Amino acid sequence: MIVLKTRNEIEKIRAASKYAMEILLYIKDFIKEGIKTMELERLCEDRIKQYSKKVRPAFKGYNGYPYCLCISVNDEVVHGMPNERVLKRGDIVSLDFGIEYDGFYGDVALTEGVGDISEDAKRLLLITEESLYKGINETREGNRLNDISYAIQHHVESAGFSVVREFVGHGIGRNLHEEPQVPNFGEKGKGIRLKKGMVFAIEPMVNMGNYKVYIKENGWTAATVDGSLSAHFEHTVAITDKGTEILSKL
Ligand code: MF3
Ligand code: CO
């Protein structure tokens, strides 16, 4: 069932999403050569404590996930776990972060390079972020769900990259993950019709090589089978009377 949200509910999702983006951008500035990913997790925990008690990390405890942040480096696609890995120049780091606030969720992600990264890696980040905006641009009343998916896939594949199939965007609201699933691949004109009150976390995951992924031994982290780099950008977006609103935009 797809839950349509009222204006009041959308404002609460906006509050959660803005907290999530604010903290994500704070953490992004610490992505430097020599820092351990676990240190980013600690900084994130400390930052959350500076807000009201109602601002809660959404991922911690979700299906047993033990951390606030997902940190996926290089060939890791999503659900990377903070650990003792030391970031080095040329790495690309995907940060994925969610907040629960006042009973509602916001979910955001971005990928950032460590120091100088290769021209190819820069292009991967650019195309992935652009594809998110191509998807958001198709997120409007009267369109079909897979118009979003198609726009993302088309942009990514035109650039010679591939979209991950196993992980998708999702509805969001009183739950982190709600119906419908929002795939990053699909056929224009297919899927449910989009309506006012729908809120989605749109999150393309893009591989430089093949789209296939596997799960690492920790049971969480997805990585590319061919070892190629992967990038991830995510916004929480609502369809309202005013049009399409990026709730996680500051
Ligand atoms: N943005 C990710 C998603 O929507 C959040 C990871 S969920 C957790 O799938 F399990 F890691 F918490
Ligand atoms: Co998400």
Side-chain angles (χ1 to χ4, degrees):
M1 188 194 46
I2 298 174
V3 182
L4 300 180
K5 281 82 180 178
T6 64
R7 171 49 66 179
N8 205 13
E9 291 168 331
I10 287 171
E11 291 314 319
K12 289 185 176 185
I13 302 169
R14 190 198 305 277
S17 302
K18 283 184 151 188
Y19 285 130
M21 185 58 88
E22 223 170 83
I23 296 167
L24 187 75
L25 292 178
Y26 169 82
I27 298 301
K28 179 184 138 186
D29 282 342
F30 289 94
I31 295 180
K32 296 268 157 60
E33 188 175 16
I35 196 165
K36 288 178 182 164
T37 59
M38 190 59 83
E39 295 180 72
L40 298 175
E41 168 70 13
R42 296 285 169 252
L43 286 161
C44 188
E45 277 191 313
D46 291 346
R47 187 69 177 181
I48 294 165
K49 284 185 195 137
Q50 294 173 13
Y51 289 81
S52 111
K53 277 199 177 59
K54 287 160 73 180
V55 178
R56 201 193 67 79
F59 299 171
K60 199 168 187 163
Y62 185 86
N63 291 335
Y65 187 75
Y67 302 108
C68 301
L69 278 172
C70 293
I71 309 177
S72 309
V73 182
N74 293 341
D75 60 316
E76 294 175 348
V77 176
V78 273
H79 302 163
M81 293 223 205
N83 57 27
E84 296 305 306
R85 179 177 192 150
V86 178
L87 296 180
K88 55 182 200 322
R89 222 172 71 222
D91 285 344
I92 63 168
V93 182
S94 298
L95 298 178
D96 191 352
F97 185 58
I99 281 289
E100 182 195 353
Y101 176 74
D102 205 8
F104 289 85
Y105 286 85
D107 191 3
V108 294
L110 58 78
T111 305
E112 174 77 353
V114 182
D116 274 336
I117 61 173
S118 72
E119 288 305 313
D120 278 355
K122 277 184 203 161
R123 206 167 68 86
L124 177 71
L125 270 49
L126 181 73
I127 295 292
T128 306
E129 187 168 19
E130 280 177 0
S131 78
L132 169 59
Y133 287 98
K134 298 276 181 192
I136 292 172
N137 207 39
E138 294 301 319
T139 308
R140 56 172 184 266
E141 191 176 27
N143 262 14
R144 299 274 182 177
L145 184 72
N146 290 326
D147 293 344
I148 303 171
S149 318
Y150 174 82
I152 293 169
Q153 182 178 22
H154 180 71
H155 190 65
V156 167
E157 292 182 354
S158 300
F161 301 138
S162 68
V163 288
V164 171
R165 309 296 203 260
E166 282 93 339
F167 299 92
V168 296
H170 47 95
I172 183 166
R174 285 186 191 276
N175 302 100
L176 177 61
H177 294 130
E178 294 186 359
E179 286 181 31
Q181 293 196 353
V182 184
N184 299 305
F185 59 97
E187 263 180 77
K188 224 195 268 199
K190 296 272 173 76
I192 56 143
R193 203 174 278 286
L194 303 182
K195 292 191 183 132
K196 278 179 203 159
M198 289 183 177
V199 183
F200 305 122
I202 303 178
E203 50 178 319
M205 283 147 267
V206 175
N207 298 351
M208 198 176 271
N210 191 275
Y211 62 78
K212 287 194 183 124
V213 302
Y214 73 98
I215 305 294
K216 292 190 164 186
E217 316 80 77
N218 64 21
W220 275 99
T221 308
T224 61
V225 168
D226 64 9
S228 69
L229 296 178
S230 187
H232 183 200
F233 284 84
E234 177 175 26
H235 267 307
T236 298
V237 176
I239 305 175
T240 77
D241 295 327
K242 293 191 223 157
T244 304
E245 299 183 54
I246 303 178
L247 302 180
S248 44
K249 199 174 80 184
L250 298 185

